[in-house]
Amino acid sequence: MKLYNWGKSPSIDARLHLADSYSATNSTLNQLSGQPVIPRGNGRCYGDSALQKNVCSTLKLNKLLQLDEVAGVVRLQAGVLLEDLLSVLVPKGLFLPVIPGTRLITIGGAIAANVHGKNHHHAGAFGNYVQSFSLLTADGQVLLCSRTENKTLFKNTIGGMGTTGIVLEATLQLSRIETSYYQQQSYPATSLSHLFELFEQQHTQPYLVAWIDGLASGNKLGRGVLHTGKSCTREDLESQATPNPLQIHPPAKLSIPGIVPSWFLQPIVLRLNNGYYRWSNRKSIQHVKHYASFFFPLDAIKHWNNLYGKKGLLQYQFVLPLSSSLAGITAVLEAVKASRLCPYLVVLKRMGEHAPYAATDFPMSGYSLAIDFKYSPKVLDLFHLLDEIVIQHSGRIYLTKDARLPAAAFRKMYPAAVLHSPQIFRSLQSERLFDL
Amino acid sequence: MPTLLLLGSNSDIGKACAYRFAAEGFDLLLATRTIDEEQQHLAADLRIRFNIQVNTLPFDAENQADHSAFYEQLPQKPDVVLTAIGYLGDPEKARTNQAEATQIINANYAGLVPILDIVAADMTQRKTGTIIGISSVAGERGRASNYHYGAAKAGFTAYLSGLRQHLRPQGVKVITIIPGFVRTKMIGDLPTPGFLTATPQIVANTIYKAYKQQKSVVYTLSTWRLIMLIIRHIPEFIFQRLSL
Ligand SMILES: Cc1cc2nc3c(=O)[nH]c(=O)nc-3n(C[C@H](O)[C@H](O)[C@H](O)COP(=O)(O)OP(=O)(O)OC[C@H]3O[C@@H](n4cnc5c(N)ncnc54)[C@H](O)[C@@H]3O)c2cc1C
Ligand SMILES: NC(=O)c1ccc[n+]([C@@H]2O[C@H](COP(=O)([O-])OP(=O)(O)OC[C@H]3O[C@@H](n4cnc5c(N)ncnc54)[C@H](OP(=O)(O)O)[C@@H]3O)[C@@H](O)[C@H]2O)c1
């Protein structure tokens, strides 16, 4: 079957093995007898991280195994979707300490990419809350890995992009919430340095994320809006007409069909960018948002990647150390501007201290910027330019969003990276990055 | 909370039914031949998601002598009993191999009768309950391709029909479910026409609806009712010449 991820390219003819038990997963490996294979969750990475001729899907490993409500600990299979887990946790006042921008990813994908949310500066990445997991390795063993057992394998799997083996199940530390609502405050910034100042001023807020007007230039370059947020208490909600303080997310109602022409989005985005900035510039706005719209605004529309047409989208997400962030991000925005390509969505996040995991793990203390483009060959040229800026500023790009990074640039960004079982667990991405 | 006894809880259709009934607040007694890790995971998942009681119990339709002890030892008596047990077997092998033929007959019919007789007696005494049996369109007319299976399903359909008449005055309901193709491990990768092939979830929804509305005989995917009507009415002298 044709298989591709969220950005739609590359796409390959692959065999998808759907195992519904650990023993079936193991027999899949046996049957492949040494052919390369890569684990796959919900295919929400953008490029080729979850692609290979043989792919082992975890989507049927979707069982919750144990929930200790008192200790706030859950043991569950790797193919459980965050969306599914949250609908069980939220009514019990439990939540995930780290939430990415979509709830449609699996636990395995969250571990393998060591995903981060808008609270990295406070809470770090997903891996911090993984107590242990069991991993099916290339030789067919199932190993329990934690901070005390099989320590190296534990570390190398978090942010390891599926190259150490298949996570079968995991035990996670949860957080507590009084309500499933968040208080969001928005602060407009007239330039990138202004935006950075706001980030540092608001550092004590648990959630921080900024939207940047990718079309602004000159002394307005990098203008945008910072959104801060924190979880609402019951008291905070009293003035609101919210019947159920622990309401779960509603199902997505809108879906974009796969037939939208690729010119569709650009004029809309151009107007929106401008309009949104003007609108939020009028005053700093405060409102209460449900977690669905606070964390997952994009999930309200299913298959929104279809808005980018048949060829899909490319995202460039990178992180720079704090000291070079302002200079590096300025240079990147200028290069984007000079390319005359349309940046559809530009998002800036602050990352905090980061515990070391796999050598391909992404986060570091500093700033991370993500820019979405409609697929075109010119965008690929631009990305080469951006790679150089990122390397110059001692940064790196996020592999789970990548579809094209050349091996040479990869080695500069991730000098310690190695493949753990190069014959068995490797994706198209590993083959590209490690020149296999 | 009402309780569902699910015979054949490792069946793909059965599992979908477990989720469907759990979502309505049913406690579950999951009965299956082998209680392996996967069955335990299934039980744990159902407990956590739906805050219900779930027990897993060993049950083999072929061990008919054990059925009465099995039913005696249930932690609670069920309000609804659903059997999803079935075995397609190897139709070609069954033609000459008696063990294979017997296993097909037992799993689809003979091994289900003792346990359902016991359930029927208990429900009669309690003057309440629902028995749901999954039969098959294969039982509507014997065909060359799988006549042992078809015959066993025909026997099961007839049994359920008679049981329904018998139990009606006792306030006990019997429902016959007649699926066409369903995408489960029973048919594997067998190519089947999409519009005639249901998913286990569709079948589970149909079964729950049949239970709620206290239906008697329900086809899953209603087109099958029409198809089988036609097939049943093809004159035998033509039918025997067809390859179906
Ligand atoms: C709209 C949108 C918003 C996003 N926002 C964020 C964000 O805010 N922060 C962020 O960090 N990410 C974000 N992402 C990226 C996403 O969280 C990651 O790509 C994640 O890894 C996808 O998980 P998945 O289950 O879909 O895995 P897949 O995409 O299927 O696989 C991703 C990687 O995980 C590996 N993998 C999957 N399952 C297993 C397993 N069981 N064992 C071992 N390896 C496994 C695969 O081999 C592959 O390398 C976003 C993506 C989208 C589409
Ligand atoms: N799939 C279809 O197209 C289709 C069409 C019409 C009717 N049906 C009927 O639907 C029902 C459910 O089948 P399914 O499609 O869900 O297939 P399935 O997944 O193969 O389920 C059949 C189940 O029956 C169990 N079983 C077989 N012999 C048994 C015995 N002696 N004792 C206890 N359990 C036994 C099997 O147990 P193990 O797991 O231990 O092997 C299996 O779990 C069956 O009655 C089948 O005949 C299916």
Side-chain angles (χ1 to χ4, degrees), chain A residues 20-22 62-67 77 84 92, chain B residues 12 15 19 37-38 41-42 44-45 48-49 51:
Chain A
D20 58 2
S21 67
Y22 302 161
N62 58 359
K63 306 278 186 296
L64 307 175
L65 304 178
Q66 214 174 356
L67 177 61
Q77 293 185 328
D84 209 15
K92 302 182 194 289
Chain B
D12 289 338
K15 283 189 265 192
Y19 282 89
E37 189 175 51
E38 212 194 323
H41 288 164
L42 175 74
D45 189 57
I48 297 171
R49 282 175 199 261
N51 295 314

PDB file of all heavy atoms in Angstrom, chain A residues 20-22 62-67 77 84 92, chain B residues 12 15 19 37-38 41-42 44-45 48-49 51:
ATOM      1  N   ASP A  20      -1.608  -7.243  16.675  1.00  0.00           N
ATOM      2  CA  ASP A  20      -2.494  -6.853  17.767  1.00  0.00           C
ATOM      3  C   ASP A  20      -2.071  -7.457  19.108  1.00  0.00           C
ATOM      4  O   ASP A  20      -2.790  -7.361  20.085  1.00  0.00           O
ATOM      5  CB  ASP A  20      -3.963  -7.183  17.446  1.00  0.00           C
ATOM      6  CG  ASP A  20      -4.148  -8.654  17.155  1.00  0.00           C
ATOM      7  OD1 ASP A  20      -3.160  -9.412  17.243  1.00  0.00           O
ATOM      8  OD2 ASP A  20      -5.287  -9.052  16.831  1.00  0.00           O
ATOM      9  N   SER A  21      -0.914  -8.111  19.145  1.00  0.00           N
ATOM     10  CA  SER A  21      -0.413  -8.607  20.424  1.00  0.00           C
ATOM     11  C   SER A  21       1.104  -8.583  20.371  1.00  0.00           C
ATOM     12  O   SER A  21       1.694  -8.423  19.299  1.00  0.00           O
ATOM     13  CB  SER A  21      -0.901 -10.031  20.670  1.00  0.00           C
ATOM     14  OG  SER A  21      -0.303 -10.908  19.731  1.00  0.00           O
ATOM     15  N   TYR A  22       1.734  -8.749  21.540  1.00  0.00           N
ATOM     16  CA  TYR A  22       3.197  -8.715  21.575  1.00  0.00           C
ATOM     17  C   TYR A  22       3.763  -9.895  20.808  1.00  0.00           C
ATOM     18  O   TYR A  22       4.761  -9.768  20.102  1.00  0.00           O
ATOM     19  CB  TYR A  22       3.709  -8.725  23.017  1.00  0.00           C
ATOM     20  CG  TYR A  22       3.191  -7.574  23.849  1.00  0.00           C
ATOM     21  CD1 TYR A  22       3.211  -7.612  25.237  1.00  0.00           C
ATOM     22  CD2 TYR A  22       2.674  -6.434  23.233  1.00  0.00           C
ATOM     23  CE1 TYR A  22       2.734  -6.554  25.994  1.00  0.00           C
ATOM     24  CE2 TYR A  22       2.191  -5.378  23.977  1.00  0.00           C
ATOM     25  CZ  TYR A  22       2.220  -5.448  25.365  1.00  0.00           C
ATOM     26  OH  TYR A  22       1.741  -4.403  26.094  1.00  0.00           O
ATOM     27  N   ASN A  62      -3.480  -1.080  21.419  1.00  0.00           N
ATOM     28  CA  ASN A  62      -4.122   0.146  21.891  1.00  0.00           C
ATOM     29  C   ASN A  62      -4.848  -0.035  23.215  1.00  0.00           C
ATOM     30  O   ASN A  62      -5.883   0.557  23.450  1.00  0.00           O
ATOM     31  CB  ASN A  62      -5.069   0.667  20.818  1.00  0.00           C
ATOM     32  CG  ASN A  62      -6.125  -0.367  20.451  1.00  0.00           C
ATOM     33  OD1 ASN A  62      -6.122  -1.476  21.001  1.00  0.00           O
ATOM     34  ND2 ASN A  62      -7.015  -0.030  19.554  1.00  0.00           N
ATOM     35  N   LYS A  63      -4.287  -0.862  24.098  1.00  0.00           N
ATOM     36  CA  LYS A  63      -4.969  -1.164  25.364  1.00  0.00           C
ATOM     37  C   LYS A  63      -4.356  -0.397  26.538  1.00  0.00           C
ATOM     38  O   LYS A  63      -3.134  -0.279  26.634  1.00  0.00           O
ATOM     39  CB  LYS A  63      -4.874  -2.657  25.668  1.00  0.00           C
ATOM     40  CG  LYS A  63      -5.372  -3.560  24.551  1.00  0.00           C
ATOM     41  CD  LYS A  63      -6.878  -3.695  24.588  1.00  0.00           C
ATOM     42  CE  LYS A  63      -7.380  -4.693  23.578  1.00  0.00           C
ATOM     43  NZ  LYS A  63      -7.100  -4.271  22.178  1.00  0.00           N
ATOM     44  N   LEU A  64      -5.227   0.051  27.411  1.00  0.00           N
ATOM     45  CA  LEU A  64      -4.789   0.597  28.693  1.00  0.00           C
ATOM     46  C   LEU A  64      -4.659  -0.572  29.649  1.00  0.00           C
ATOM     47  O   LEU A  64      -5.576  -1.391  29.755  1.00  0.00           O
ATOM     48  CB  LEU A  64      -5.814   1.596  29.219  1.00  0.00           C
ATOM     49  CG  LEU A  64      -6.197   2.714  28.249  1.00  0.00           C
ATOM     50  CD1 LEU A  64      -7.310   3.576  28.838  1.00  0.00           C
ATOM     51  CD2 LEU A  64      -4.987   3.577  27.948  1.00  0.00           C
ATOM     52  N   LEU A  65      -3.529  -0.674  30.351  1.00  0.00           N
ATOM     53  CA  LEU A  65      -3.280  -1.885  31.122  1.00  0.00           C
ATOM     54  C   LEU A  65      -3.459  -1.695  32.622  1.00  0.00           C
ATOM     55  O   LEU A  65      -3.840  -2.622  33.327  1.00  0.00           O
ATOM     56  CB  LEU A  65      -1.868  -2.405  30.822  1.00  0.00           C
ATOM     57  CG  LEU A  65      -1.597  -2.671  29.325  1.00  0.00           C
ATOM     58  CD1 LEU A  65      -0.176  -3.137  29.115  1.00  0.00           C
ATOM     59  CD2 LEU A  65      -2.589  -3.695  28.778  1.00  0.00           C
ATOM     60  N   GLN A  66      -3.162  -0.500  33.100  1.00  0.00           N
ATOM     61  CA  GLN A  66      -3.245  -0.284  34.541  1.00  0.00           C
ATOM     62  C   GLN A  66      -3.323   1.210  34.791  1.00  0.00           C
ATOM     63  O   GLN A  66      -2.558   1.972  34.194  1.00  0.00           O
ATOM     64  CB  GLN A  66      -1.968  -0.823  35.178  1.00  0.00           C
ATOM     65  CG  GLN A  66      -2.162  -1.404  36.538  1.00  0.00           C
ATOM     66  CD  GLN A  66      -0.870  -2.051  37.032  1.00  0.00           C
ATOM     67  OE1 GLN A  66       0.139  -2.127  36.318  1.00  0.00           O
ATOM     68  NE2 GLN A  66      -0.878  -2.509  38.246  1.00  0.00           N
ATOM     69  N   LEU A  67      -4.235   1.605  35.673  1.00  0.00           N
ATOM     70  CA  LEU A  67      -4.318   3.026  36.002  1.00  0.00           C
ATOM     71  C   LEU A  67      -4.379   3.155  37.510  1.00  0.00           C
ATOM     72  O   LEU A  67      -5.327   2.701  38.136  1.00  0.00           O
ATOM     73  CB  LEU A  67      -5.560   3.649  35.347  1.00  0.00           C
ATOM     74  CG  LEU A  67      -5.814   5.118  35.668  1.00  0.00           C
ATOM     75  CD1 LEU A  67      -4.664   5.996  35.202  1.00  0.00           C
ATOM     76  CD2 LEU A  67      -7.117   5.589  35.046  1.00  0.00           C
ATOM     77  N   GLN A  77      -0.337   0.372  26.333  1.00  0.00           N
ATOM     78  CA  GLN A  77       0.365  -0.101  25.153  1.00  0.00           C
ATOM     79  C   GLN A  77       0.767   1.077  24.258  1.00  0.00           C
ATOM     80  O   GLN A  77       0.149   2.141  24.289  1.00  0.00           O
ATOM     81  CB  GLN A  77      -0.504  -1.100  24.389  1.00  0.00           C
ATOM     82  CG  GLN A  77      -0.707  -2.378  25.183  1.00  0.00           C
ATOM     83  CD  GLN A  77      -1.465  -3.443  24.418  1.00  0.00           C
ATOM     84  OE1 GLN A  77      -2.332  -3.135  23.598  1.00  0.00           O
ATOM     85  NE2 GLN A  77      -1.157  -4.701  24.701  1.00  0.00           N
ATOM     86  N   ASP A  84      -7.226   9.281  22.890  1.00  0.00           N
ATOM     87  CA  ASP A  84      -7.921   8.203  23.537  1.00  0.00           C
ATOM     88  C   ASP A  84      -7.616   8.197  25.043  1.00  0.00           C
ATOM     89  O   ASP A  84      -8.499   8.057  25.886  1.00  0.00           O
ATOM     90  CB  ASP A  84      -7.353   6.926  22.899  1.00  0.00           C
ATOM     91  CG  ASP A  84      -8.323   5.812  22.872  1.00  0.00           C
ATOM     92  OD1 ASP A  84      -9.505   6.095  23.081  1.00  0.00           O
ATOM     93  OD2 ASP A  84      -7.884   4.678  22.632  1.00  0.00           O
ATOM     94  N   LYS A  92     -11.191  11.990  35.349  1.00  0.00           N
ATOM     95  CA  LYS A  92     -10.658  11.621  36.661  1.00  0.00           C
ATOM     96  C   LYS A  92      -9.726  12.704  37.212  1.00  0.00           C
ATOM     97  O   LYS A  92      -9.047  12.484  38.218  1.00  0.00           O
ATOM     98  CB  LYS A  92      -9.887  10.303  36.558  1.00  0.00           C
ATOM     99  CG  LYS A  92     -10.723   9.139  36.021  1.00  0.00           C
ATOM    100  CD  LYS A  92      -9.905   7.861  35.989  1.00  0.00           C
ATOM    101  CE  LYS A  92     -10.533   6.753  35.173  1.00  0.00           C
ATOM    102  NZ  LYS A  92     -11.735   6.141  35.760  1.00  0.00           N
TER     103      LYS A  92
ATOM    104  N   ASP B  12     -13.116 -11.706  17.002  1.00  0.00           N
ATOM    105  CA  ASP B  12     -13.045 -10.289  16.638  1.00  0.00           C
ATOM    106  C   ASP B  12     -14.403  -9.620  16.786  1.00  0.00           C
ATOM    107  O   ASP B  12     -14.506  -8.500  17.275  1.00  0.00           O
ATOM    108  CB  ASP B  12     -12.516 -10.147  15.209  1.00  0.00           C
ATOM    109  CG  ASP B  12     -11.034 -10.494  15.119  1.00  0.00           C
ATOM    110  OD1 ASP B  12     -10.346 -10.419  16.165  1.00  0.00           O
ATOM    111  OD2 ASP B  12     -10.559 -10.865  14.028  1.00  0.00           O
ATOM    112  N   LYS B  15     -15.082  -9.295  20.554  1.00  0.00           N
ATOM    113  CA  LYS B  15     -14.362  -8.194  21.199  1.00  0.00           C
ATOM    114  C   LYS B  15     -15.069  -6.865  20.931  1.00  0.00           C
ATOM    115  O   LYS B  15     -15.228  -6.044  21.826  1.00  0.00           O
ATOM    116  CB  LYS B  15     -12.913  -8.146  20.709  1.00  0.00           C
ATOM    117  CG  LYS B  15     -12.044  -9.224  21.345  1.00  0.00           C
ATOM    118  CD  LYS B  15     -10.573  -9.039  21.018  1.00  0.00           C
ATOM    119  CE  LYS B  15     -10.183  -9.863  19.828  1.00  0.00           C
ATOM    120  NZ  LYS B  15      -8.732  -9.958  19.610  1.00  0.00           N
ATOM    121  N   TYR B  19     -16.807  -4.142  23.793  1.00  0.00           N
ATOM    122  CA  TYR B  19     -16.701  -2.681  23.905  1.00  0.00           C
ATOM    123  C   TYR B  19     -18.060  -2.012  23.797  1.00  0.00           C
ATOM    124  O   TYR B  19     -18.354  -1.060  24.512  1.00  0.00           O
ATOM    125  CB  TYR B  19     -15.731  -2.120  22.854  1.00  0.00           C
ATOM    126  CG  TYR B  19     -14.291  -2.324  23.270  1.00  0.00           C
ATOM    127  CD1 TYR B  19     -13.603  -3.477  22.929  1.00  0.00           C
ATOM    128  CD2 TYR B  19     -13.641  -1.382  24.060  1.00  0.00           C
ATOM    129  CE1 TYR B  19     -12.295  -3.682  23.342  1.00  0.00           C
ATOM    130  CE2 TYR B  19     -12.335  -1.571  24.485  1.00  0.00           C
ATOM    131  CZ  TYR B  19     -11.667  -2.723  24.121  1.00  0.00           C
ATOM    132  OH  TYR B  19     -10.382  -2.926  24.556  1.00  0.00           O
ATOM    133  N   GLU B  37      -2.164 -13.536  27.539  1.00  0.00           N
ATOM    134  CA  GLU B  37      -1.823 -12.159  27.884  1.00  0.00           C
ATOM    135  C   GLU B  37      -2.776 -11.172  27.208  1.00  0.00           C
ATOM    136  O   GLU B  37      -3.227 -10.195  27.791  1.00  0.00           O
ATOM    137  CB  GLU B  37      -0.383 -11.912  27.426  1.00  0.00           C
ATOM    138  CG  GLU B  37       0.203 -10.617  27.901  1.00  0.00           C
ATOM    139  CD  GLU B  37       1.682 -10.512  27.493  1.00  0.00           C
ATOM    140  OE1 GLU B  37       2.020 -10.710  26.302  1.00  0.00           O
ATOM    141  OE2 GLU B  37       2.491 -10.240  28.372  1.00  0.00           O
ATOM    142  N   GLU B  38      -3.112 -11.495  25.948  1.00  0.00           N
ATOM    143  CA  GLU B  38      -3.959 -10.586  25.192  1.00  0.00           C
ATOM    144  C   GLU B  38      -5.359 -10.464  25.805  1.00  0.00           C
ATOM    145  O   GLU B  38      -5.932  -9.380  25.861  1.00  0.00           O
ATOM    146  CB  GLU B  38      -4.060 -11.132  23.771  1.00  0.00           C
ATOM    147  CG  GLU B  38      -4.200 -10.078  22.729  1.00  0.00           C
ATOM    148  CD  GLU B  38      -4.646 -10.684  21.417  1.00  0.00           C
ATOM    149  OE1 GLU B  38      -4.212 -11.812  21.089  1.00  0.00           O
ATOM    150  OE2 GLU B  38      -5.444 -10.031  20.735  1.00  0.00           O
ATOM    151  N   HIS B  41      -5.063  -8.297  28.763  1.00  0.00           N
ATOM    152  CA  HIS B  41      -4.971  -6.888  28.351  1.00  0.00           C
ATOM    153  C   HIS B  41      -6.343  -6.345  27.970  1.00  0.00           C
ATOM    154  O   HIS B  41      -6.693  -5.220  28.309  1.00  0.00           O
ATOM    155  CB  HIS B  41      -4.011  -6.748  27.166  1.00  0.00           C
ATOM    156  CG  HIS B  41      -2.574  -6.948  27.546  1.00  0.00           C
ATOM    157  ND1 HIS B  41      -1.587  -7.187  26.623  1.00  0.00           N
ATOM    158  CD2 HIS B  41      -1.959  -6.935  28.745  1.00  0.00           C
ATOM    159  CE1 HIS B  41      -0.431  -7.309  27.242  1.00  0.00           C
ATOM    160  NE2 HIS B  41      -0.627  -7.177  28.532  1.00  0.00           N
ATOM    161  N   LEU B  42      -7.092  -7.179  27.265  1.00  0.00           N
ATOM    162  CA  LEU B  42      -8.448  -6.778  26.867  1.00  0.00           C
ATOM    163  C   LEU B  42      -9.289  -6.463  28.102  1.00  0.00           C
ATOM    164  O   LEU B  42      -9.966  -5.431  28.179  1.00  0.00           O
ATOM    165  CB  LEU B  42      -9.081  -7.906  26.056  1.00  0.00           C
ATOM    166  CG  LEU B  42     -10.541  -7.731  25.660  1.00  0.00           C
ATOM    167  CD1 LEU B  42     -10.670  -6.708  24.543  1.00  0.00           C
ATOM    168  CD2 LEU B  42     -11.163  -9.060  25.209  1.00  0.00           C
ATOM    169  N   ALA B  44      -8.271  -5.674  31.136  1.00  0.00           N
ATOM    170  CA  ALA B  44      -7.768  -4.490  31.839  1.00  0.00           C
ATOM    171  C   ALA B  44      -8.258  -3.228  31.136  1.00  0.00           C
ATOM    172  O   ALA B  44      -8.740  -2.280  31.770  1.00  0.00           O
ATOM    173  CB  ALA B  44      -6.251  -4.521  31.881  1.00  0.00           C
ATOM    174  N   ASP B  45      -8.150  -3.219  29.823  1.00  0.00           N
ATOM    175  CA  ASP B  45      -8.546  -2.050  29.035  1.00  0.00           C
ATOM    176  C   ASP B  45     -10.025  -1.716  29.244  1.00  0.00           C
ATOM    177  O   ASP B  45     -10.401  -0.566  29.437  1.00  0.00           O
ATOM    178  CB  ASP B  45      -8.253  -2.340  27.561  1.00  0.00           C
ATOM    179  CG  ASP B  45      -8.419  -1.114  26.686  1.00  0.00           C
ATOM    180  OD1 ASP B  45      -7.757  -0.101  26.965  1.00  0.00           O
ATOM    181  OD2 ASP B  45      -9.214  -1.170  25.734  1.00  0.00           O
ATOM    182  N   ILE B  48     -10.595  -0.207  32.764  1.00  0.00           N
ATOM    183  CA  ILE B  48     -10.123   1.170  32.944  1.00  0.00           C
ATOM    184  C   ILE B  48     -10.994   2.150  32.162  1.00  0.00           C
ATOM    185  O   ILE B  48     -11.391   3.187  32.657  1.00  0.00           O
ATOM    186  CB  ILE B  48      -8.655   1.305  32.489  1.00  0.00           C
ATOM    187  CG1 ILE B  48      -7.763   0.428  33.359  1.00  0.00           C
ATOM    188  CG2 ILE B  48      -8.209   2.753  32.543  1.00  0.00           C
ATOM    189  CD1 ILE B  48      -6.331   0.320  32.872  1.00  0.00           C
ATOM    190  N   ARG B  49     -11.317   1.779  30.931  1.00  0.00           N
ATOM    191  CA  ARG B  49     -12.078   2.719  30.108  1.00  0.00           C
ATOM    192  C   ARG B  49     -13.504   2.917  30.587  1.00  0.00           C
ATOM    193  O   ARG B  49     -14.055   3.994  30.467  1.00  0.00           O
ATOM    194  CB  ARG B  49     -12.148   2.227  28.664  1.00  0.00           C
ATOM    195  CG  ARG B  49     -10.877   2.475  27.914  1.00  0.00           C
ATOM    196  CD  ARG B  49     -10.981   1.859  26.542  1.00  0.00           C
ATOM    197  NE  ARG B  49      -9.661   1.688  25.994  1.00  0.00           N
ATOM    198  CZ  ARG B  49      -9.106   2.525  25.133  1.00  0.00           C
ATOM    199  NH1 ARG B  49      -9.772   3.560  24.695  1.00  0.00           N
ATOM    200  NH2 ARG B  49      -7.885   2.319  24.704  1.00  0.00           N
ATOM    201  N   ASN B  51     -14.933   1.694  33.693  1.00  0.00           N
ATOM    202  CA  ASN B  51     -15.221   1.532  35.121  1.00  0.00           C
ATOM    203  C   ASN B  51     -16.217   0.419  35.378  1.00  0.00           C
ATOM    204  O   ASN B  51     -17.203   0.606  36.090  1.00  0.00           O
ATOM    205  CB  ASN B  51     -15.777   2.831  35.714  1.00  0.00           C
ATOM    206  CG  ASN B  51     -14.745   3.933  35.686  1.00  0.00           C
ATOM    207  OD1 ASN B  51     -13.584   3.707  36.051  1.00  0.00           O
ATOM    208  ND2 ASN B  51     -15.137   5.103  35.230  1.00  0.00           N
TER     209      ASN B  51
END
